[in-house]
């Protein structure tokens, strides 16, 4: 009888911790990290129609990524003192072809406001396919300029899995 109670308590303790899964016990699988966010942290002059891209170090669970990326507008007074934040509506897109990337885009016909600060937050609950979540929440900031990007898109990054010898 005593052993049954101990097993029951152990199962309850493990079940109550949201990051203790059997998948997380693999010491050879590091937690995913955010490798880059474009626009870069503290970037200025970002285009008003910019698309925010986030690159991860591991293949990610797309559902957890889509629900854990938040973009906010920072509202400041004339002295640059932070007053409040407003969440920016948009869509986070991921692709099964490139599970290392996530893209945040504004609704069609919508632009970021000129000369405005924004933050991009990738919450810790974004998980890799292995079930491991980010070690830390990542927050970056950028400021828009006043221009719209009218150049056609160009190739910025190629994942090693797509390289052809």
């Amino acid at each position: 009888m005593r052993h049954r109670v101990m097993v029951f308590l152990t199962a309850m303790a493990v079940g109550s911790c949201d990051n203790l899964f059997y998948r997380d016990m693999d010491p050879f699988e590091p937690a995913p990290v955010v490798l880059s966010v474009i626009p870069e942290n503290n970037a200025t002059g970002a285009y008003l129609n910019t698309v925010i891209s986030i690159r991860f170090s591991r293949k990610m669970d797309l559902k957890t990524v889509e629900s854990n990326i938040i973009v906010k507008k920072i509202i400041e007074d004339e002295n640059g003192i932070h007053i409040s934040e407003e969440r920016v509506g948009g869509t986070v897109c991921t692709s099964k072809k490139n599970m290392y990337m996530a893209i945040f885009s504004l609704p069609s016909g919508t632009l970021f406001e000129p000369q405005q600060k924004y933050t991009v937050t990738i919450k810790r609950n974004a998980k890799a396919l292995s079930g491991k979540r980010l070690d830390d929440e990542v927050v970056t900031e950028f400021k828009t300029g006043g221009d719209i990007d009218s150049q056609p898109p160009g190739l910025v990054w190629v994942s090693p899995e797509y390289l052809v010898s």
Side-chain angles (χ1 to χ4, degrees), residues 35-36 38 55-56 98 100-101 154-160 162:
L35 296 177
S36 66
I38 298 173
R55 187 164 59 103
F56 297 94
N98 186 356
Y100 293 92
M101 293 286 294
L155 182 63
V156 176
W157 176 73
V158 175
S159 171
Y162 295 111

Side-chain angles (χ1 to χ4, degrees), residues 27-98:
F28 301 108
E29 173 78 25
V33 295
V34 174
L35 296 177
S36 66
V37 177
I38 298 173
E40 294 177 352
N41 191 31
N42 297 319
T44 58
Y47 291 115
L48 302 179
N49 60 339
T50 196
V51 174
I52 299 167
S53 64
I54 299 139
R55 187 164 59 103
F56 297 94
S57 63
R58 299 263 175 255
K59 286 186 177 183
M60 300 298 286
D61 177 345
L62 304 178
K63 289 179 185 173
T64 66
V65 170
E66 290 171 357
S67 62
N68 284 291
I69 294 176
I70 298 167
V71 178
K72 291 183 179 178
K73 177 173 82 169
I74 304 300
I75 299 168
E76 298 177 332
D77 67 10
E78 62 277 353
N79 297 319
I81 297 173
H82 182 107
I83 297 174
S84 65
E85 301 173 354
E86 288 179 7
R87 190 165 181 165
V88 176
T91 305
V92 176
C93 298
T94 54
S95 167
K96 289 188 179 197
K97 290 184 180 181
N98 186 356

Side-chain angles (χ1 to χ4, degrees), residues 100-160:
Y100 293 92
M101 293 286 294
I103 304 290
F104 176 91
S105 56
L106 294 170
S108 181
T110 307
L111 300 173
F112 286 105
E113 293 180 25
Q115 307 303 321
Q116 183 65 54
K117 284 185 184 177
Y118 292 89
T119 60
V120 178
T121 303
I122 301 100
K123 297 244 178 222
R124 189 169 180 248
N125 287 331
K127 294 180 182 180
L129 284 180
S130 67
K132 289 190 176 183
R133 64 183 184 177
L134 295 174
D135 276 339
D136 292 309
E137 180 175 280
V138 175
V139 179
T140 65
E141 184 177 288
F142 69 93
K143 186 174 182 179
T144 56
D147 297 325
I148 294 175
D149 184 7
S150 59
Q151 296 292 322
L155 182 63
V156 176
W157 176 73
V158 175
S159 171

